[in-house]
Amino acid sequence: MLLAPIVRHLGRVDYEPTWRAMQSFTAERGPDTPDELWLLEHPPVFTLGQAGKREHILTDLGIPVIAIDRGGQVTYHGPGQVVVYVLLDLRRRGYGVKELVRRLEQAVIDLLAGFGVVAERRAGAPGVYVNEAKIAALGLRIKNGCSYHGLALNVAMDLTPFSAINPCGYEGLAVTQTSDLGIALPSAEMGERLLYCLVKMVTM
């Protein structure tokens, strides 16, 4: 049986140095390097994936925009959002990126089900949705069979910056968060519960 990933609690950290640290970790890891999950949150930032189009940024709010190497379009990160980066050797775990996406989505679906909230996937649009509104965004990069980037769950944040973009490239896509669904847990506790679900899903 494969070991569970090492979990690192990074707190609130700037986006770009964290992204560079993920790149370095992935470039330097060997076949025996333990997998890791990084739990954190970021100050306000928009990130634009490899295929991202700047026309999906509708309004300049003075929030930094960083073009990065994950898949997908534009998304927003900010305080009150739980982010988990998944640094996994998929070859060693025996599944590919599509299965990883399914497992990450399922972790969020399972987490929310524990609070009586029904969440679902949407065909062709990775992430997790509640009543047609996106509650969790997902973006990954696979290099040499290893993943980085990961998952962002909206918990108790200012959702206003999402109105300045087409979230994930979808015009008019509504977003929501756990605090608006009657779940009163703070982001720190939601992060711990999400980690529990993620560890279970990536190791099964």
Side-chain angles (χ1 to χ4, degrees), residues 110-197:
D110 291 347
L111 170 69
L112 296 177
F115 296 98
V117 173
V118 177
E120 59 189 6
R121 299 175 177 84
R122 182 182 287 184
V128 179
Y129 301 80
V130 176
N131 297 325
E132 301 299 315
K134 195 163 196 173
I135 194 166
L138 195 153
L140 295 166
R141 174 72 187 268
I142 310 298
K143 191 166 186 179
N144 298 324
C146 297
S147 67
Y148 59 103
H149 295 293
L151 185 68
L153 173 68
N154 303 334
V155 176
M157 60 190 303
D158 179 5
L159 296 177
T160 304
F162 284 104
S163 65
I165 61 174
N166 291 326
C168 304
Y170 291 92
E171 184 177 354
L173 178 65
V175 295
T176 190
Q177 57 187 337
T178 59
S179 61
D180 292 339
L181 300 174
I183 302 172
L185 290 184
S187 55
E189 190 168 343
M190 285 298 292
E192 293 301 327
R193 295 194 182 205
L194 177 58
L195 275 174
Y196 175 83
C197 294

Coordinates of all heavy atoms in Angstrom, one line a residue, residues 110-197:
D110 N -17.5 14.7 -1.4 CA -17.6 14.0 -0.2 C -17.6 14.9 1.1 O -18.4 14.8 2.0 CB -16.5 12.9 0.0 CG -16.6 11.8 -1.0 OD1 -17.7 11.7 -1.7 OD2 -15.7 11.0 -1.1
L111 N -16.7 15.9 1.0 CA -16.7 16.9 2.1 C -18.0 17.6 2.3 O -18.5 17.7 3.4 CB -15.6 17.9 1.8 CG -15.5 19.1 2.7 CD1 -15.1 18.8 4.1 CD2 -14.6 20.2 2.1
L112 N -18.6 18.1 1.2 CA -19.8 18.9 1.3 C -21.0 18.0 1.6 O -21.9 18.4 2.3 CB -20.0 19.6 0.0 CG -19.0 20.7 -0.4 CD1 -19.3 21.3 -1.7 CD2 -19.0 21.7 0.7
A113 N -20.9 16.7 1.2 CA -22.0 15.8 1.5 C -22.1 15.6 3.0 O -23.2 15.4 3.6 CB -21.8 14.4 0.8
G114 N -21.0 15.7 3.7 CA -21.0 15.5 5.2 C -21.7 16.7 5.9 O -22.1 16.5 7.0
F115 N -22.0 17.8 5.2 CA -22.8 18.9 5.7 C -24.2 18.9 5.1 O -24.9 19.9 5.2 CB -22.1 20.2 5.4 CG -20.7 20.3 6.1 CD1 -19.5 20.1 5.4 CD2 -20.7 20.7 7.4 CE1 -18.3 20.2 6.1 CE2 -19.4 20.8 8.1 CZ -18.3 20.5 7.4
G116 N -24.5 17.9 4.3 CA -25.9 17.8 3.7 C -26.0 18.7 2.5 O -27.1 18.9 2.0
V117 N -24.9 19.0 1.9 CA -24.9 19.8 0.6 C -24.6 18.9 -0.5 O -23.6 18.2 -0.6 CB -23.8 21.0 0.7 CG1 -23.7 21.7 -0.6 CG2 -24.1 21.9 1.8
V118 N -25.4 19.0 -1.5 CA -25.3 18.1 -2.7 C -24.4 18.9 -3.7 O -24.8 20.0 -4.2 CB -26.6 17.8 -3.4 CG1 -26.4 17.0 -4.7 CG2 -27.5 17.0 -2.4
A119 N -23.3 18.4 -4.1 CA -22.4 19.0 -5.1 C -22.2 18.1 -6.2 O -22.4 16.8 -6.1 CB -21.1 19.4 -4.4
E120 N -21.8 18.6 -7.4 CA -21.6 17.7 -8.6 C -20.6 18.2 -9.5 O -20.1 19.4 -9.4 CB -23.0 17.7 -9.3 CG -23.5 19.1 -9.7 CD -24.9 19.1 -10.3 OE1 -25.5 18.0 -10.2 OE2 -25.3 20.1 -10.8
R121 N -20.2 17.4 -10.4 CA -19.3 17.7 -11.5 C -20.1 18.3 -12.6 O -21.3 18.2 -12.7 CB -18.5 16.5 -12.0 CG -17.7 15.8 -11.0 CD -17.1 14.5 -11.6 NE -16.2 13.9 -10.6 CZ -16.6 13.0 -9.7 NH1 -17.9 12.8 -9.5 NH2 -15.7 12.5 -8.9
R122 N -19.4 18.9 -13.6 CA -20.0 19.4 -14.8 C -19.1 18.9 -16.0 O -17.9 19.2 -16.0 CB -20.1 20.9 -14.8 CG -20.8 21.5 -16.0 CD -20.9 23.0 -16.0 NE -21.8 23.5 -15.0 CZ -22.1 24.8 -14.8 NH1 -21.4 25.7 -15.6 NH2 -23.0 25.2 -14.0
A123 N -19.7 18.2 -16.9 CA -19.0 17.7 -18.0 C -18.2 18.8 -18.8 O -18.8 19.8 -19.1 CB -19.9 16.9 -19.0
G124 N -16.9 18.5 -19.0 CA -16.1 19.4 -19.8 C -15.7 20.7 -19.0 O -15.0 21.6 -19.6
A125 N -16.0 20.8 -17.7 CA -15.7 22.0 -17.0 C -15.2 21.5 -15.6 O -16.0 21.5 -14.7 CB -16.9 22.9 -16.8
P126 N -13.9 21.2 -15.5 CA -13.4 20.6 -14.2 C -13.7 21.6 -13.0 O -13.8 22.8 -13.2 CB -11.9 20.5 -14.4 CG -11.8 20.4 -15.9 CD -12.9 21.2 -16.5
G127 N -14.0 20.9 -11.9 CA -14.3 21.7 -10.7 C -15.5 21.1 -10.0 O -16.0 20.0 -10.5
V128 N -16.1 21.7 -9.0 CA -17.2 21.2 -8.3 C -18.2 22.4 -8.2 O -17.9 23.5 -8.0 CB -16.8 20.7 -6.9 CG1 -18.1 20.2 -6.1 CG2 -15.8 19.6 -7.0
Y129 N -19.5 22.0 -8.4 CA -20.6 23.0 -8.5 C -21.7 22.6 -7.5 O -22.0 21.5 -7.2 CB -21.2 23.0 -9.9 CG -20.1 23.3 -10.9 CD1 -19.2 22.3 -11.4 CD2 -20.0 24.6 -11.4 CE1 -18.2 22.6 -12.3 CE2 -19.0 24.9 -12.4 CZ -18.2 23.9 -12.8 OH -17.2 24.2 -13.7
V130 N -22.4 23.7 -7.0 CA -23.6 23.5 -6.1 C -24.6 24.4 -6.7 O -24.4 25.6 -6.8 CB -23.3 23.9 -4.7 CG1 -24.6 23.8 -3.8 CG2 -22.2 23.0 -4.1
N131 N -25.7 23.8 -7.1 CA -26.8 24.6 -7.8 C -26.3 25.5 -8.9 O -26.7 26.7 -9.0 CB -27.6 25.4 -6.7 CG -28.2 24.6 -5.6 OD1 -28.7 23.5 -5.9 ND2 -28.2 25.1 -4.4
E132 N -25.5 24.9 -9.8 CA -24.9 25.5 -10.9 C -23.9 26.6 -10.6 O -23.4 27.2 -11.6 CB -26.1 26.2 -11.8 CG -27.1 25.2 -12.3 CD -26.5 24.1 -13.2 OE1 -25.7 24.5 -14.1 OE2 -26.9 22.9 -13.0
A133 N -23.6 26.8 -9.4 CA -22.5 27.8 -9.0 C -21.3 27.1 -8.6 O -21.3 26.1 -7.9 CB -23.0 28.7 -7.9
K134 N -20.1 27.6 -9.1 CA -18.8 26.9 -8.8 C -18.4 27.2 -7.4 O -18.3 28.4 -7.0 CB -17.8 27.4 -9.8 CG -16.5 26.5 -9.9 CD -15.7 26.7 -11.1 CE -14.8 25.6 -11.4 NZ -14.1 25.8 -12.7
I135 N -18.0 26.1 -6.7 CA -17.6 26.3 -5.3 C -16.1 25.9 -5.2 O -15.4 26.3 -4.3 CB -18.4 25.5 -4.3 CG1 -18.2 25.9 -2.9 CG2 -18.3 24.0 -4.5 CD1 -19.2 25.4 -1.9
A136 N -15.6 25.1 -6.1 CA -14.2 24.7 -6.1 C -13.6 24.6 -7.5 O -14.3 24.1 -8.4 CB -14.1 23.3 -5.5
A137 N -12.5 25.2 -7.7 CA -11.8 25.3 -9.0 C -10.6 24.3 -8.9 O -10.0 24.1 -7.9 CB -11.3 26.7 -9.3
L138 N -10.2 23.8 -10.1 CA -9.2 22.8 -10.2 C -8.3 23.1 -11.4 O -8.8 23.3 -12.5 CB -9.9 21.4 -10.3 CG -9.1 20.2 -10.1 CD1 -10.0 19.1 -9.6 CD2 -8.4 19.7 -11.3
G139 N -7.0 23.0 -11.2 CA -6.1 23.2 -12.3 C -4.8 22.4 -11.9 O -4.3 22.5 -10.8
L140 N -4.2 21.7 -12.9 CA -3.1 20.9 -12.7 C -2.0 21.1 -13.8 O -2.3 21.5 -14.9 CB -3.5 19.4 -12.7 CG -4.4 19.0 -11.5 CD1 -5.0 17.6 -11.9 CD2 -3.7 18.9 -10.2
R141 N -0.8 20.7 -13.4 CA 0.3 20.5 -14.4 C 0.9 19.2 -14.1 O 1.2 18.9 -13.0 CB 1.3 21.6 -14.3 CG 2.6 21.5 -15.2 CD 2.2 21.7 -16.6 NE 3.3 21.4 -17.5 CZ 4.3 22.3 -17.9 NH1 4.2 23.5 -17.5 NH2 5.3 21.9 -18.7
I142 N 1.1 18.4 -15.2 CA 1.8 17.1 -15.0 C 3.2 17.2 -15.8 O 3.2 17.6 -16.9 CB 1.0 16.0 -15.6 CG1 -0.5 16.0 -15.1 CG2 1.6 14.6 -15.3 CD1 -0.6 15.8 -13.7
K143 N 4.2 16.9 -15.0 CA 5.6 16.9 -15.6 C 6.3 15.7 -15.2 O 6.4 15.4 -14.0 CB 6.3 18.2 -15.2 CG 7.6 18.4 -15.9 CD 8.1 19.8 -15.7 CE 9.3 20.1 -16.6 NZ 9.8 21.5 -16.4
N144 N 6.8 14.9 -16.2 CA 7.5 13.7 -15.9 C 6.7 12.8 -15.0 O 7.2 12.1 -14.1 CB 8.9 14.0 -15.2 CG 9.8 14.8 -16.1 OD1 9.8 14.6 -17.3 ND2 10.6 15.7 -15.5
G145 N 5.4 12.7 -15.2 CA 4.5 11.8 -14.5 C 4.1 12.3 -13.1 O 3.5 11.6 -12.4
C146 N 4.5 13.5 -12.8 CA 4.2 14.1 -11.4 C 3.3 15.3 -11.5 O 3.5 16.1 -12.4 CB 5.5 14.4 -10.7 SG 6.5 12.9 -10.4
S147 N 2.4 15.5 -10.6 CA 1.5 16.6 -10.6 C 1.9 17.7 -9.7 O 2.6 17.5 -8.7 CB 0.1 16.1 -10.2 OG 0.1 15.7 -8.8
Y148 N 1.5 18.9 -10.0 CA 1.5 20.0 -9.1 C 0.4 21.0 -9.5 O -0.4 20.7 -10.4 CB 2.9 20.7 -9.0 CG 3.5 21.3 -10.3 CD1 3.5 22.7 -10.5 CD2 4.1 20.5 -11.2 CE1 4.1 23.2 -11.6 CE2 4.7 21.1 -12.3 CZ 4.7 22.4 -12.5 OH 5.3 23.0 -13.7
H149 N 0.3 22.1 -8.8 CA -1.0 22.9 -8.7 C -2.0 22.0 -8.0 O -1.7 21.1 -7.3 CB -1.4 23.4 -10.0 CG -0.4 24.4 -10.7 ND1 -0.2 25.6 -10.1 CD2 0.4 24.3 -11.7 CE1 0.7 26.3 -10.9 NE2 1.1 25.5 -11.8
G150 N -3.3 22.4 -8.1 CA -4.3 21.6 -7.4 C -5.7 22.2 -7.3 O -6.3 22.5 -8.4
L151 N -6.2 22.4 -6.1 CA -7.6 22.6 -5.8 C -7.8 23.8 -5.0 O -7.0 24.1 -4.0 CB -8.1 21.4 -5.1 CG -9.5 21.2 -4.8 CD1 -10.3 21.0 -6.1 CD2 -9.7 20.0 -3.9
A152 N -8.8 24.6 -5.3 CA -9.2 25.8 -4.4 C -10.6 25.7 -4.1 O -11.5 25.7 -5.0 CB -8.8 27.1 -5.2
L153 N -10.9 25.8 -2.8 CA -12.3 25.7 -2.3 C -12.7 27.0 -1.7 O -12.0 27.5 -0.7 CB -12.4 24.5 -1.3 CG -13.8 24.4 -0.5 CD1 -14.9 24.0 -1.5 CD2 -13.6 23.5 0.6
N154 N -13.8 27.6 -2.1 CA -14.2 28.9 -1.6 C -15.0 28.6 -0.3 O -15.9 27.9 -0.2 CB -15.2 29.6 -2.6 CG -14.6 29.8 -3.9 OD1 -13.4 29.9 -4.1 ND2 -15.4 29.9 -5.0
V155 N -14.5 29.3 0.8 CA -15.0 29.0 2.1 C -15.7 30.3 2.7 O -16.9 30.3 2.8 CB -13.9 28.5 3.1 CG1 -14.5 28.3 4.5 CG2 -13.4 27.2 2.6
A156 N -15.0 31.3 3.0 CA -15.5 32.5 3.6 C -14.7 33.7 3.1 O -13.8 34.2 3.8 CB -15.5 32.4 5.1
M157 N -14.9 34.1 1.9 CA -14.1 35.1 1.2 C -14.9 36.2 0.6 O -16.2 36.0 0.5 CB -13.2 34.4 0.2 CG -14.0 33.7 -0.9 SD -13.0 32.7 -2.0 CE -11.8 33.8 -2.7
D158 N -14.3 37.2 0.2 CA -14.9 38.3 -0.6 C -15.0 37.8 -2.0 O -14.0 37.6 -2.7 CB -14.1 39.6 -0.5 CG -14.7 40.7 -1.3 OD1 -15.8 40.5 -1.9 OD2 -14.1 41.8 -1.4
L159 N -16.2 37.5 -2.5 CA -16.4 36.9 -3.9 C -16.4 38.0 -4.9 O -16.4 37.7 -6.1 CB -17.7 36.1 -3.9 CG -17.7 34.8 -3.1 CD1 -19.1 34.2 -3.2 CD2 -16.7 33.8 -3.4
T160 N -16.3 39.3 -4.5 CA -16.4 40.4 -5.5 C -15.4 40.2 -6.7 O -15.8 40.5 -7.8 CB -16.3 41.7 -4.8 OG1 -17.2 41.8 -3.7 CG2 -16.5 42.9 -5.8
P161 N -14.2 39.9 -6.4 CA -13.2 39.9 -7.6 C -13.6 38.9 -8.7 O -13.2 39.0 -9.8 CB -11.9 39.4 -6.9 CG -12.0 40.0 -5.5 CD -13.4 39.8 -5.2
F162 N -14.4 37.9 -8.3 CA -14.9 36.9 -9.4 C -15.7 37.6 -10.4 O -15.8 37.2 -11.6 CB -15.7 35.8 -8.8 CG -14.8 34.7 -8.1 CD1 -14.7 34.6 -6.7 CD2 -14.1 33.8 -8.9 CE1 -14.0 33.7 -6.1 CE2 -13.3 32.8 -8.3 CZ -13.2 32.8 -6.9
S163 N -16.4 38.7 -10.0 CA -17.2 39.5 -11.0 C -16.4 40.3 -12.0 O -16.9 40.7 -13.0 CB -18.1 40.4 -10.3 OG -17.4 41.5 -9.6
A164 N -15.0 40.3 -11.8 CA -14.1 41.0 -12.7 C -13.6 40.1 -13.7 O -12.8 40.6 -14.6 CB -13.0 41.7 -11.9
I165 N -13.9 38.8 -13.7 CA -13.4 37.9 -14.7 C -14.5 37.0 -15.1 O -15.6 37.0 -14.6 CB -12.3 37.0 -14.0 CG1 -12.9 36.2 -12.8 CG2 -11.1 37.8 -13.6 CD1 -11.9 35.1 -12.3
N166 N -14.3 36.3 -16.2 CA -15.1 35.1 -16.6 C -14.5 33.9 -15.9 O -13.5 33.4 -16.4 CB -15.1 34.9 -18.1 CG -15.9 36.0 -18.8 OD1 -16.8 36.6 -18.3 ND2 -15.4 36.4 -20.0
P167 N -15.0 33.5 -14.8 CA -14.3 32.4 -14.0 C -14.1 31.2 -14.9 O -15.0 30.6 -15.5 CB -15.3 32.2 -12.9 CG -16.1 33.4 -12.7 CD -16.2 33.9 -14.1
C168 N -12.8 30.8 -14.9 CA -12.4 29.6 -15.7 C -12.8 29.7 -17.1 O -13.0 28.7 -17.9 CB -13.0 28.3 -15.1 SG -12.6 28.1 -13.3
G169 N -13.0 30.9 -17.6 CA -13.3 31.2 -19.0 C -14.8 31.1 -19.4 O -15.1 31.2 -20.6
Y170 N -15.7 31.0 -18.4 CA -17.1 30.9 -18.6 C -17.8 32.2 -18.3 O -17.9 32.6 -17.1 CB -17.7 29.7 -17.9 CG -17.2 28.4 -18.3 CD1 -16.1 27.8 -17.7 CD2 -17.8 27.7 -19.4 CE1 -15.6 26.5 -18.2 CE2 -17.4 26.5 -19.8 CZ -16.3 25.9 -19.2 OH -15.8 24.7 -19.7
E171 N -18.4 32.8 -19.3 CA -19.0 34.1 -19.1 C -20.2 33.9 -18.2 O -21.1 33.0 -18.4 CB -19.5 34.7 -20.5 CG -20.1 36.0 -20.4 CD -20.5 36.6 -21.8 OE1 -20.1 36.0 -22.8 OE2 -21.1 37.7 -21.8
G172 N -20.3 34.8 -17.2 CA -21.5 34.8 -16.3 C -21.6 33.6 -15.4 O -22.6 33.4 -14.7
L173 N -20.5 32.8 -15.2 CA -20.5 31.7 -14.3 C -20.6 32.2 -12.9 O -19.8 33.0 -12.4 CB -19.2 30.9 -14.5 CG -19.1 29.7 -13.5 CD1 -20.2 28.6 -13.8 CD2 -17.7 29.1 -13.7
A174 N -21.6 31.7 -12.2 CA -21.8 32.1 -10.8 C -20.8 31.3 -9.9 O -20.4 30.2 -10.2 CB -23.3 31.7 -10.4
V175 N -20.4 31.9 -8.8 CA -19.6 31.3 -7.8 C -20.3 31.3 -6.5 O -21.1 32.2 -6.2 CB -18.2 31.9 -7.8 CG1 -17.4 31.7 -9.1 CG2 -18.3 33.4 -7.4
T176 N -19.9 30.4 -5.6 CA -20.5 30.3 -4.3 C -19.4 29.9 -3.3 O -18.3 29.6 -3.7 CB -21.7 29.4 -4.2 OG1 -22.4 29.6 -3.0 CG2 -21.4 28.0 -4.4
Q177 N -19.8 29.8 -2.0 CA -18.8 29.4 -1.0 C -19.5 28.7 0.1 O -20.7 28.8 0.3 CB -18.0 30.6 -0.5 CG -18.8 31.7 0.0 CD -17.9 32.9 0.4 OE1 -16.7 32.8 0.6 NE2 -18.6 34.1 0.4
T178 N -18.8 28.0 0.9 CA -19.4 27.2 2.0 C -20.1 28.0 3.0 O -21.2 27.7 3.5 CB -18.4 26.3 2.7 OG1 -17.4 27.1 3.3 CG2 -17.8 25.3 1.7
S179 N -19.6 29.2 3.3 CA -20.3 30.1 4.3 C -21.6 30.6 3.8 O -22.5 30.9 4.6 CB -19.4 31.3 4.6 OG -19.1 32.1 3.5
D180 N -21.9 30.6 2.5 CA -23.1 31.0 2.0 C -24.1 29.9 1.8 O -25.3 30.0 1.4 CB -23.0 31.7 0.6 CG -22.2 33.0 0.7 OD1 -22.2 33.6 1.8 OD2 -21.7 33.4 -0.3
L181 N -23.7 28.7 2.2 CA -24.5 27.5 2.1 C -24.9 27.0 3.5 O -25.3 25.8 3.7 CB -23.8 26.4 1.3 CG -23.4 26.7 -0.1 CD1 -22.6 25.6 -0.7 CD2 -24.6 26.9 -0.9
G182 N -24.7 27.8 4.5 CA -25.1 27.5 5.9 C -24.0 26.7 6.6 O -24.3 26.1 7.7
I183 N -22.8 26.6 6.1 CA -21.7 25.9 6.8 C -20.8 27.0 7.5 O -20.2 27.7 6.8 CB -20.8 25.1 5.8 CG1 -21.7 24.1 5.0 CG2 -19.7 24.4 6.5 CD1 -21.0 23.4 3.9
A184 N -20.9 26.9 8.8 CA -20.3 28.0 9.5 C -18.8 27.8 9.9 O -18.2 28.7 10.6 CB -21.1 28.3 10.8
L185 N -18.2 26.7 9.5 CA -16.8 26.5 9.8 C -15.9 27.5 9.2 O -16.0 27.8 8.0 CB -16.4 25.1 9.4 CG -17.0 23.9 10.1 CD1 -16.4 22.6 9.6 CD2 -16.9 24.0 11.6
P186 N -14.9 27.9 10.0 CA -13.9 28.8 9.4 C -13.0 28.1 8.4 O -12.9 26.8 8.4 CB -13.1 29.3 10.6 CG -13.3 28.2 11.6 CD -14.6 27.7 11.4
S187 N -12.2 28.8 7.6 CA -11.4 28.2 6.5 C -10.4 27.3 7.1 O -10.1 26.3 6.4 CB -10.8 29.3 5.6 OG -10.0 30.2 6.4
A188 N -9.8 27.6 8.2 CA -8.8 26.7 8.8 C -9.4 25.3 9.1 O -8.7 24.3 8.7 CB -8.2 27.2 10.1
E189 N -10.5 25.2 9.6 CA -11.1 23.9 9.9 C -11.6 23.2 8.7 O -11.5 22.0 8.5 CB -12.3 24.1 10.9 CG -12.8 22.7 11.4 CD -13.7 22.8 12.6 OE1 -13.7 23.9 13.3 OE2 -14.4 21.8 12.9
M190 N -12.2 24.0 7.7 CA -12.6 23.4 6.4 C -11.4 22.8 5.7 O -11.4 21.8 5.1 CB -13.3 24.5 5.6 CG -14.7 24.8 6.0 SD -15.8 23.4 5.9 CE -15.9 23.1 4.2
G191 N -10.2 23.5 5.8 CA -9.0 23.0 5.2 C -8.6 21.7 5.8 O -8.2 20.8 5.0
E192 N -8.7 21.5 7.1 CA -8.4 20.2 7.7 C -9.3 19.1 7.2 O -8.9 18.0 7.0 CB -8.4 20.3 9.2 CG -7.3 21.3 9.8 CD -5.9 20.8 9.4 OE1 -5.6 19.6 9.3 OE2 -5.0 21.7 9.2
R193 N -10.6 19.4 7.1 CA -11.5 18.4 6.7 C -11.3 18.1 5.2 O -11.5 16.9 4.8 CB -13.0 18.9 7.0 CG -13.2 19.1 8.5 CD -14.7 19.2 8.7 NE -15.0 19.4 10.1 CZ -16.1 19.1 10.7 NH1 -17.1 18.6 10.0 NH2 -16.3 19.4 12.0
L194 N -11.0 19.1 4.4 CA -10.7 18.8 3.0 C -9.5 17.9 2.9 O -9.5 17.0 2.1 CB -10.5 20.1 2.3 CG -10.2 20.0 0.8 CD1 -11.2 19.2 0.0 CD2 -10.0 21.4 0.1
L195 N -8.5 18.2 3.7 CA -7.3 17.4 3.6 C -7.6 15.9 3.9 O -7.1 15.0 3.3 CB -6.2 17.9 4.7 CG -5.3 19.0 4.2 CD1 -4.5 19.5 5.4 CD2 -4.4 18.6 3.1
Y196 N -8.4 15.7 4.9 CA -8.8 14.3 5.3 C -9.4 13.6 4.1 O -9.1 12.5 3.8 CB -9.8 14.4 6.5 CG -10.3 13.0 6.8 CD1 -9.6 12.1 7.7 CD2 -11.5 12.6 6.4 CE1 -10.1 10.9 8.0 CE2 -12.1 11.3 6.7 CZ -11.3 10.5 7.5 OH -11.8 9.2 7.8
C197 N -10.3 14.3 3.4 CA -11.0 13.7 2.3 C -10.0 13.5 1.1 O -10.1 12.5 0.4 CB -12.2 14.6 1.8 SG -13.5 14.7 3.0

